[in-house]
Amino acid sequence: MSKKVIIIVLAAAAAAGLVFVPSILAGSDTGSDTTVNANVSMYSVRVDQAAEQTLQAYLEINGEIVPEQQVAVLPDAAGKVVSVKIDLGSEVRKGQIIAEIDPSKPGTSYALSPVYAPISGIVTAPPAAVGSTVTTASTIATVSAMKNFEIEALIPEREVGQLTEGLKARITLQAFPGEVFSATVIRVSPVVDPNSRTKKIILSFDVNDSRINPGMLARVKLNTRTYEDVVTVPAEAVINVRGSSYVYVMEGIDRVALREVEKGVSIDNTTEIKSGLSGGESVVIQGQQFLTNGAAVKVIGTRSQA
């Protein structure tokens, strides 16, 4: 009875086909040839070619649109605000009187002390209220220059080694979906904030646009390191086993070879191959889980058809 059961099980296995474990998992030598059972059907795979191209690394962070110049207006004398000649959003000229302070105290009487706008621009913070008492350290109003705008962004400490003036960025704004504005890093803070563990950068728009307003939230895609003329493959082509990286490379039209490679950076589903592969070679990107070194395969499509 037991012999019949064994025969039935073996027959079923033969009918269903053999499932091969990749040679790297079985501990075999990846450089040796693996004999493929002639009775086993070809495995269906999708392939793509290794390419030589330039990879651009980047960071994506949030930023805020701010005026190029913003000044807090302080009075020359302490006292009571007796008049305010501007409102939030008012346009002012440099030297224009925007408020008056009465420095008089009980038993004394002094002339009013005028408060002048130090720059031309727009009042971007609510001015002090008439009747309020101020000191020479009190802010009467905030005036912002409205000709040029900048973007302030905070970069995590782990990424600050990539920062330098002149880096290019692509800016998107919620107010203008689908539009991209270009900008350049013009200043990098010399210190890391000990509380947030971030470093501030300032970017300037390459082209001024009157639609952009201070206070808008900006999404910043900041280009950092560039990797020129490197061999790349789709990230899904790389198999990582026991700390090593491998790809299946097409040999002829119906065979694959398992090859160890040295992996570099990965950016947007594209992986750099530092050694072990040349540009133009075809690699398997789908169906590797059933393959072994030297397996017979049938190519059913490329990456674009996946």
Side-chain angles (χ1 to χ4, degrees):
M1 179 66 178
S2 60
K3 292 183 178 180
K4 291 182 179 180
V5 172
I6 293 173
I7 292 172
I8 292 173
V9 171
L10 291 175
L18 298 178
V19 177
F20 286 88
V21 178
S23 58
I24 51 176
L25 296 179
S28 62
D29 182 4
T30 59
S32 62
D33 293 334
T34 299
T35 301
V36 180
N37 192 328
N39 295 323
V40 178
S41 300
M42 289 185 176
Y43 294 106
S44 296
V45 297
R46 294 187 187 276
V47 302
D48 199 0
Q49 282 191 334
E52 293 185 12
Q53 61 177 317
T54 296
L55 289 180
Q56 178 63 66
Y58 62 87
L59 299 174
E60 285 191 304
I61 62 275
N62 289 327
E64 183 180 359
I65 308 298
V66 296
E68 182 181 26
Q69 185 178 19
Q70 183 169 279
V71 179
V73 185
L74 306 179
D76 293 330
K80 182 177 292 186
V81 179
V82 294
S83 71
V84 176
K85 305 180 182 299
I86 44 90
D87 295 308
L88 178 65
S90 295
E91 184 173 353
V92 297
R93 301 180 309 278
K94 181 178 179 180
Q96 176 182 335
I97 296 177
I98 61 174
E100 292 178 307
I101 309 297
D102 184 359
S104 300
K105 296 180 179 180
T108 63
S109 179
Y110 295 99
L112 298 180
S113 175
V115 180
Y116 300 97
I119 62 171
S120 298
I122 301 294
V123 178
T124 53
V130 172
S132 60
T133 299
V134 297
T135 69
T136 54
S138 300
T139 299
I140 301 300
T142 300
V143 179
S144 301
M146 302 298 283
K147 290 184 178 180
N148 301 311
F149 298 120
E150 299 174 340
I151 306 129
E152 289 185 354
L154 300 177
I155 307 299
E157 182 179 6
R158 64 180 179 274
E159 306 288 358
V160 299
Q162 307 179 61
L163 299 179
T164 182
E165 293 181 6
L167 292 178
K168 295 295 183 178
R170 292 162 60 86
I171 312 298
T172 54
L173 306 172
Q174 292 182 346
F176 308 108
E179 292 194 54
V180 177
F181 304 85
S182 60
T184 304
V185 175
I186 58 173
R187 288 193 299 280
V188 177
S189 172
V191 298
V192 172
D193 186 290
N195 296 315
S196 65
R197 313 310 308 180
T198 59
K199 178 175 282 194
K200 181 186 288 187
I201 62 172
I202 305 296
L203 305 98
S204 176
F205 284 100
D206 293 340
V207 178
N208 293 329
D209 193 313
S210 61
R211 298 174 299 168
I212 299 174
N213 304 129
M216 285 182 170
L217 177 67
R219 187 62 178 169
V220 181
K221 184 176 181 180
L222 177 65
N223 292 335
T224 53
R225 293 192 177 99
T226 300
Y227 302 85
E228 296 185 353
D229 301 326
V230 295
V231 176
T232 65
V233 297
E236 59 265 36
V238 182
I239 304 169
N240 298 303
V241 179
R242 298 174 183 171
S244 297
S245 300
Y246 301 86
V247 295
Y248 279 104
V249 183
M250 291 296 301
E251 288 193 337
I253 61 173
D254 59 359
R255 295 277 175 179
V256 292
L258 184 63
R259 190 184 299 175
E260 185 173 358
V261 296
E262 182 184 358
K263 186 172 66 171
V265 298
S266 291
I267 300 172
D268 290 342
N269 202 39
T270 299
T271 297
E272 174 195 9
I273 302 298
K274 291 185 174 181
S275 63
L277 193 67
S278 300
E281 291 190 276
S282 293
V283 296
V284 177
I285 61 172
Q286 186 176 337
Q288 306 99 308
Q289 65 269 33
F290 300 116
L291 300 181
T292 57
N293 186 41
V297 296
K298 178 182 179 181
V299 177
I300 62 172
T302 62
R303 186 181 193 184
S304 60
Q305 297 173 314

